[in-house]
Amino acid sequence: MALNFIGISDINGGIMTDTASYVRRCEEIYHQRLAEAAEKIRVDADERPLVLLSGPSGSGKTTSAMRIADLLRKRGLTVHTISMDNYFLPDGYGEMPLDEDGKVDLESPLRMDIPLFAEHMEKLFKREEVNIPRFNFKTQSRSEGYTLKREKNEIIIIEGIHALNPEVTGDTDSFTTCVYVSVRTRIRDNEDTVMHPRAIRLMRRLCRDKLFRGRSAADVFGMLRAVNRGEDLYIMPHKHRADFDIDTFLAYEPSVYCSSLLDELKSSPDLAEYSDDYGSAIKILSQLTPLTTDDVPGDSLVREFIGGSTMKY
């Protein structure tokens, strides 16, 4: 999939001309990308009833999975969604993988209970009953979750950062459809400087982690090196397996993040030591026309990161 480019002048122009219309058009573009994938999944439902949806941190995996599920239901299918996070290994269950610094590699696929996950995928395809576990991140423990048995004309969407990694999923190409979601659009500022799409995902995580996970901007930036390393090692090498590569960028979204992030980033210059994205983010955000959360639709992907969604996560 080719990268897209958009200029800040185009974003500001769309917002200032007719905010509601511009936001609606951006949402429709994203919706159409999902609809194309959903229709293909529907057509192949008998042969490929399992959908593997992957993307790096901050890519909008959860919302994309939920939106595709809704589109499939409107096409007459019953859909179940499974988060691969529930297959993480609990504390004390074997040795945790370490990175080159000797720290626990939180991004490694080896943190997953791969044998159990592979067993469940096979059983779900064969329409056999499984018990989906439930992982508690606060206690790093796993408990019994819920029973699931796929029936005829039912689709299972499985989302997680390792969903396209064959080390985790095994040889499942014959009965799965693979979807990769991420930010693919690059923003070009008024001085022709281009911001890497990774910076948009960083903005999303800064908003989300502050609101939902109690993390400061320093916490998020402090984790950035490990997160980026994990993406490069464990996620990006497998995105070529995707049947659909969906750009989750909405052109108006950085203007929304501007309102909540710009002042905080400007007042924290020490964050620059963590990433070149710090300076790039401030430069881009400073040139944007801000939008308030009131301008964001209740079912927008942006709500996954700023809160107030009408969808149940």
Side-chain angles (χ1 to χ4, degrees), residues 4 39 51 70 85 90 97-98 105 156 161 186 253 279 282 289:
N4 299 317
E39 180 57 22
V51 177
D70 287 341
D85 289 355
L98 304 178
D105 187 351
I156 309 289
I161 61 174
R186 296 174 184 256
E253 68 173 297
I282 288 181
T289 299

Side-chain angles (χ1 to χ4, degrees), residues 3-20:
L3 289 172
N4 299 317
F5 292 84
I6 188 170
I8 281 185
S9 58
D10 294 321
I11 297 174
N12 289 342
I15 290 172
M16 296 178 70
T17 300
D18 187 337
T19 299

Side-chain angles (χ1 to χ4, degrees), residues 58-238:
S59 61
K61 293 184 295 296
T62 303
T63 298
S64 296
M66 294 172 70
R67 294 280 289 270
I68 290 175
D70 287 341
L71 287 165
L72 290 170
R73 292 185 184 107
K74 291 176 181 177
R75 287 162 168 78
L77 296 171
T78 298
V79 185
H80 305 278
T81 302
I82 297 173
S83 171
M84 291 177 67
D85 289 355
N86 287 313
Y87 288 87
F88 278 132
L89 290 168
D91 278 351
Y93 192 98
E95 294 184 10
M96 289 289 103
L98 304 178
D99 62 18
E100 56 269 20
D101 297 323
K103 298 179 180 178
V104 175
D105 187 351
L106 299 176
E107 310 300 320
S108 171
L110 297 179
R111 288 192 67 223
M112 292 191 60
D113 191 338
I114 294 176
L116 179 64
F117 180 73
E119 174 191 335
H120 282 191
M121 284 193 65
E122 187 73 23
K123 286 185 174 181
L124 287 169
F125 171 62
K126 294 179 178 179
R127 291 166 54 190
E128 297 177 3
E129 185 175 279
V130 301
N131 188 275
I132 308 297
R134 194 178 306 279
F135 189 82
N136 187 315
F137 281 90
K138 290 184 178 180
T139 61
Q140 290 294 300
S141 62
R142 195 171 70 190
S143 60
E144 188 170 299
Y146 61 95
T147 298
L148 178 62
K149 181 177 182 293
R150 184 180 68 84
E151 303 294 345
K152 186 176 176 59
N153 294 325
E154 292 191 351
I155 293 287
I156 309 289
I157 298 178
I158 303 169
E159 64 95 358
I161 61 174
H162 300 302
L164 300 189
N165 188 336
E167 182 180 355
V168 177
T169 62
D171 184 14
T172 57
D173 289 351
S174 63
F175 59 85
T176 60
T177 296
C178 295
V179 180
Y180 181 80
V181 301
S182 191
V183 176
R184 301 287 288 172
T185 299
R186 296 174 184 256
I187 299 177
R188 197 189 307 273
D189 73 5
N190 297 327
E191 298 175 2
D192 212 32
T193 301
V194 176
M195 184 173 73
H196 195 282
R198 198 173 246 173
I200 291 293
R201 293 192 288 104
L202 173 60
M203 292 179 193
R204 290 175 173 180
R205 295 203 307 273
L206 285 166
C207 292
R208 178 198 64 193
D209 287 14
K210 177 181 179 180
L211 187 62
F212 297 115
R213 304 185 182 182
R215 292 175 182 156
S216 66
D219 293 332
V220 176
F221 272 93
M223 298 167 61
L224 194 58
R225 177 175 172 270
V227 170
N228 290 345
R229 170 188 172 277
E231 291 172 6
D232 292 338
L233 286 177
Y234 308 127
I235 302 175
M236 302 302 182
H238 309 297

